[in-house]
Amino acid sequence: MAIAEVTDPQAEHSVPPAGPCAIVIFGATGDLTKRKLIPAIYHLAKSRLLPEDFAVVGLANSEMSDEAFRQEIGENLQTHLPEPVEKECWDWLSARLHFIAGEFKDPKLYERLRALLAQVDSDHGTGGNYLFYLATNPTLFCHVVQQLGMAGLARQEHGQWRRVVIEKPFGRDLESARALNLDIRKTLEEKQIFRIDHYLGKETVQNILVFRFSNGIFEPIWNRRYIDHVQITVAETVGVERRGGYYEEAGALRDMVPSHIFQLLALTAMEPPYSFEADAVRDEKVKLLRAIQPMTPEDILTRSVRGQYGEGLAGKERVPAFRSEPKVSPGSSTETFVALKLFIDNWRWADVPFYIRTGKRLPKRLTEIVVQFRRVPFLLFRKTEVERLTTNLLVIQIQPEEGISLRFGAKMPGSGVRVGPVAMEFQYADYFGTRPSTGYETMLYDSMIGDLTLFKRFDGVAAGWSVATPILDVWKALPPRSFPNYAAGTWGPKDAEDLMTRDGRRWGVTE
């Protein structure tokens, strides 16, 4: 993750293409590959960030030829890209697509893979550098890594590199995450493991670091003296779609909090790193996550909220309850909504609450960080018409639009003194121009060049699970009695609103 200042906002900063390599995708016919990975690879090709000596090898259970795989990928690109596919770019990429079918637990598959990769090295000049992407069910992570090791495909020698990208979730709780890591580390070194969180590939997420640490006007007030509280919202309008089986086992907390949300929390609240090198940034993120105040069972009962959506409206469409979704138990106690009130035990953030919430079937697709500053003293305005002062609000918008807005008070026109809220807003699309992105482009490019800055180190994964696991344990011991407790198309259960109103606060998005 290189940092450089560009004086012309419309200028494209010169980024060199990655070196020769092949990307090997386990689960090449799956939804993640179709919707995210191949479009991201196409965008990298279009931006000339892929090397000329490049290839993609897809693996799946389905039998098909290279040509059939190319045709399927081409059709999926046309479906999932927001822009028309450029023929020249597609011709270049499709000529570098290969496919091999087999069972991921079968050692013979890896013998055939090794032979194919040798042929790919010869045909495309990929130099024996392989990026293995595990777009599979999490239960297969260990099996695939173990088989790669047994086939000699994970061994780095003669200047060749081998890296493995592992999708979330990394474990189901602290104990299983530790067991998974121990198994993987029998084959791979830590620097070969790229635990991906595609949220960190989004421009505004990366911009949190730049916003905080390159602007002298914000960092001096980024502390408990000036900030009242922080809110992090990750809201989705969709239900579980075709992931009912996975979601029934995972739930909203496992699916979102230790990964996406805690990464946003860490970037928002971490101390300044001594550099933007990978370990320097990740050291500070881990320190922050370890500083999250442990919650007792009593705390969990009062500072956590879980919900499950019932039937309701998504826009104007009537949608079913979670318990009526495919592959979901009719009496499911799995949560589709989570809200938490957390504290960070360090000098900067003592007594400042961090409110987080995430859920399915909410009214709006939205990911944002709201920083609420403390209200100024009213002394100066006692003899004016001003009855209350609006607090300053900084909103970092991550999706669907990417930008930053700052709310402050200004005098309204007229002879009296009246103060009204105004906003300064910055949108990436307006200032830097639109650029097609899935969030995976940055992560794939960084994987190919070996930059681990935006990927999770295991101590960070463990720190996140250390906070989440006690909550899961209490919820398991006390099954919910009121599910479903919010209608699809609403902002979650009333208890989530009460979590804020008890403290005299409100969720920023509802203002």
Side-chain angles (χ1 to χ4, degrees):
M1 179 183 172
I3 303 294
E5 185 174 14
V6 179
T7 55
D8 179 2
Q10 301 297 334
E12 177 77 28
H13 179 57
S14 177
V15 178
C21 66
I23 297 180
V24 181
I25 303 176
F26 287 83
T29 58
D31 195 56
L32 174 64
T33 302
K34 295 174 183 178
R35 299 171 68 92
K36 301 294 184 181
L37 298 184
I38 294 299
I41 292 171
Y42 170 83
H43 286 149
L44 289 172
K46 189 176 176 182
S47 301
R48 302 187 184 280
L49 291 176
L50 295 180
E52 187 66 28
D53 304 322
F54 175 78
V56 175
V57 176
L59 288 88
N61 284 325
S62 309
E63 288 285 349
M64 68 175 75
S65 64
D66 284 1
E67 193 54 45
F69 179 60
R70 291 164 184 160
Q71 182 176 348
E72 181 174 307
I73 291 298
E75 292 172 355
N76 286 326
L77 265 182
Q78 292 178 346
T79 301
H80 297 299
L81 281 181
E83 76 276 13
V85 177
E86 291 187 5
K87 184 178 184 303
E88 182 180 355
C89 183
W90 168 242
D91 289 345
W92 182 92
L93 180 58
S94 64
R96 289 162 171 78
L97 297 177
H98 302 271
F99 184 82
I100 183 170
E103 167 58 48
F104 293 165
K105 294 183 181 181
D106 182 4
K108 294 180 180 179
L109 171 65
Y110 298 84
E111 294 174 9
R112 292 188 287 126
L113 174 60
R114 184 173 59 187
L116 176 59
L117 286 173
Q119 186 63 47
V120 165
D121 287 340
S122 175
D123 294 345
H124 299 290
T126 46
N129 299 317
Y130 309 144
L131 179 67
F132 300 101
Y133 200 111
L134 308 192
T136 70
N137 188 297
T139 59
L140 293 171
F141 291 166
C142 281
H143 296 289
V144 173
V145 171
Q146 183 183 35
Q147 294 289 352
L148 289 173
M150 293 174 63
L153 289 169
R155 188 168 57 247
Q156 302 188 110
E157 55 187 5
H158 311 305
Q160 299 169 336
W161 54 259
R162 309 289 165 86
R163 299 169 187 143
V164 179
V165 180
I166 300 179
E167 273 283 346
K168 73 175 182 73
F170 196 90
R172 288 179 46 82
D173 51 26
L174 182 58
E175 182 180 358
S176 61
R178 284 173 172 161
L180 174 59
N181 194 62
L182 284 173
D183 284 342
I184 290 175
R185 286 299 308 276
K186 292 175 183 176
T187 302
L188 302 172
E189 299 176 11
E190 177 65 32
K191 290 187 177 180
Q192 291 179 274
I193 306 170
F194 287 67
R195 301 176 188 85
I196 193 170
D197 185 338
H198 73 274
Y199 264 48
L200 299 186
K202 295 182 179 294
E203 292 292 346
T204 311
V205 174
Q206 299 170 63
N207 194 44
I208 296 172
L209 291 177
V210 177
F211 177 81
R212 286 188 56 195
F213 302 132
S214 71
N215 296 296
I217 62 174
F218 293 110
E219 186 56 24
I221 59 172
W222 209 258
N223 55 59
R224 65 187 301 274
R225 183 175 180 183
Y226 299 100
I227 291 177
D228 178 79
H229 72 278
V230 178
Q231 302 175 22
I232 299 176
T233 296
V234 181
E236 298 179 276
T237 57
V238 297
V240 294
E241 298 180 299
R242 290 173 291 178
R243 301 170 70 223
Y246 161 75
Y247 210 84
E248 173 77 334
E249 293 296 320
L253 194 150
R254 280 192 177 95
D255 189 48
M256 296 295 291
V257 175
S259 52
H260 296 336
I261 291 181
F262 277 0
Q263 291 299 304
L264 297 179
L265 174 65
L267 290 171
T268 302
M270 62 186 268
E271 294 298 316
Y274 67 82
S275 78
F276 279 105
E277 294 178 358
D279 279 337
V281 174
R282 298 196 296 178
D283 284 347
E284 296 304 331
K285 288 165 64 177
V286 172
K287 287 180 187 177
L288 188 284
L289 293 174
R290 286 175 172 169
I292 296 176
Q293 186 182 96
M295 296 174 71
T296 65
E298 292 74 18
D299 291 332
I300 293 168
L301 294 176
T302 58
R303 287 168 36 199
S304 74
V305 175
R306 52 181 161 167
Q308 185 189 93
Y309 65 82
E311 64 176 324
L313 293 175
K316 295 182 179 180
E317 179 187 357
R318 173 74 48 182
V319 293
F322 174 72
R323 291 178 175 180
S324 299
E325 300 277 15
K327 299 183 180 180
V328 174
S329 167
S332 173
S333 60
T334 299
E335 80 284 353
T336 62
F337 178 97
V338 176
L340 301 174
K341 177 183 176 182
L342 302 173
F343 291 96
I344 297 172
D345 282 343
N346 64 16
W347 192 267
R348 182 187 292 262
W349 297 112
D351 300 323
V352 175
F354 284 72
Y355 300 93
I356 65 176
R357 63 174 173 172
T358 182
K360 299 280 190 183
R361 288 292 186 208
L362 301 182
K364 186 176 181 181
R365 177 173 173 258
L366 176 77
T367 300
E368 69 176 14
I369 301 165
V370 176
V371 180
Q372 178 83 62
F373 291 90
R374 294 189 182 277
R375 198 181 303 275
V376 299
F378 194 72
L379 300 175
L380 183 63
F381 297 92
R382 282 180 176 167
K383 296 182 179 180
T384 70
E385 298 179 23
V386 176
E387 295 181 357
R388 63 186 296 270
L389 294 173
T390 301
T391 54
N392 300 120
L393 201 68
L394 177 72
V395 181
I396 301 172
Q397 302 157 330
I398 296 168
Q399 68 177 14
E401 304 297 331
E402 295 187 284
I404 299 172
S405 66
L406 177 65
R407 186 180 75 181
F408 58 94
K411 180 183 178 299
M412 299 173 66
S415 56
V417 178
R418 293 185 300 156
V419 178
V422 297
M424 291 193 300
E425 296 192 359
F426 150 70
Q427 296 290 331
Y428 263 89
D430 296 338
Y431 198 71
F432 292 110
T434 57
R435 191 178 309 169
S437 175
T438 67
Y440 278 87
E441 289 83 355
T442 297
M443 310 304 284
L444 284 172
Y445 177 79
D446 284 359
S447 301
M448 288 186 281
I449 66 173
D451 187 342
L452 283 156
T453 305
L454 298 176
F455 295 84
K456 293 181 286 186
R457 207 167 55 194
F458 180 69
D459 52 357
V461 173
W465 279 122
S466 294
V467 178
T469 298
I471 301 172
L472 291 168
D473 291 343
V474 170
W475 286 0
K476 183 178 180 179
L478 298 172
R481 297 178 180 178
S482 57
F483 279 6
N485 59 355
Y486 71 97
T490 65
W491 281 109
K494 184 178 182 299
D495 286 348
E497 183 181 339
D498 294 342
L499 189 67
M500 296 286 282
T501 56
R502 283 199 304 266
D503 297 339
R505 301 181 175 106
R506 294 189 296 172
W507 291 105
V509 76
T510 61
E511 293 186 345

